[in-house]
Amino acid sequence: MTVTIDGKELAKKIRANLKIECEELNKKEIKSKLAVIMVGDDPASKVYVRNKSKACEDVGIEYEEYLLDSNISQKELIDLIKKLNQDNTVNGILLQSPIPSKLDINEAFKTIAPEKDVDGFNPTNVGKLVLNQDTFVSCTPYGIMKMFEEYNIDLNCKNVVILGRSNIVGKPLIHCCLNKNATVTICHSKTRNIKEIASKADILISAIGKANFVTTDMVKENAVVIDVGINRTDNGKITGDVDFENVKEKASYITPVPGGVGPMTIAMLMNNVIKATRRQKGMKD
Ligand code: GUN
């Protein structure tokens, strides 16, 4: 029997626990605040940012938004990040990607203080993940790992195949899975025989951004299938990378879109903001 992994429900549970934790911090006169920077007006980013602000409100995290014009200079962006690094009332800083291509996003991520880098994109935090040291893990991979934990899906000795090599999902996921003793293969646009590779996976994770890319012939019987894709169809519906209706007949576990990985990403962001706050106040996690 196939289990549909309920990311929405799990995210709700995590957020409810974080809300209690936030209330406990408030009793000690400790407030938690996330600052979000968005450059330009990418429609998808606007939706993501709105969802992040709603989640903060729900958990009790203060939220500050910086909506910058797409003509902003690199110096202005870097100066804002430096100002937020210095601001003791700000515990987490998130720069929503993408930003206009004339700006250097790598320099911007590098400027975010590692202890406030709740997205885990600063090279220091990326390096710590690679070395299997405690760090802020970027939110989508972290959310996927939480799902595995909740559903008792053990990665030890498993063949994990990841489709997509983005800095936000694919690359950090490699290390999350490797740190759990999986054998990891990553496929991308230049990979030959993706179908053949995918069909050997015990756990198949697709973060490629193409609707219906993962079809039943790419999925091993009883594989775990995780769908990170968020694609908009011609009729405005949100759909993942996986041909859900057909693949679910073959998978042991599968995540739906919507209601799978998406809500977990936001829950783990909230988790990272609270973790950052506690650490900045010298408290244990
Ligand atoms: N753009 C798409 N996903 C993300 C994310 O998780 N974090 C940031 N900063 N930008 C994104």
Side-chain angles (χ1 to χ4, degrees), residues 202-265:
D202 301 310
I203 299 174
L204 179 62
I205 308 172
S206 184
I208 216 148
K210 281 189 190 155
N212 288 323
F213 184 84
V214 177
T215 45
T216 43
D217 54 330
M218 293 171 72
V219 177
K220 189 167 92 168
E221 198 72 50
N222 291 323
V224 174
V225 179
I226 306 293
D227 192 348
V228 185
I230 302 176
N231 311 297
R232 202 171 280 274
T233 60
D234 291 341
N235 57 14
K237 245 184 82 187
I238 296 288
T239 178
D241 290 352
V242 177
D243 172 10
F244 182 84
E245 286 310 320
N246 292 310
V247 169
K248 89 167 191 285
E249 303 301 326
K250 215 170 174 185
S252 55
Y253 292 86
I254 188 165
T255 62
V257 178
V261 174
M264 289 301 293
T265 298

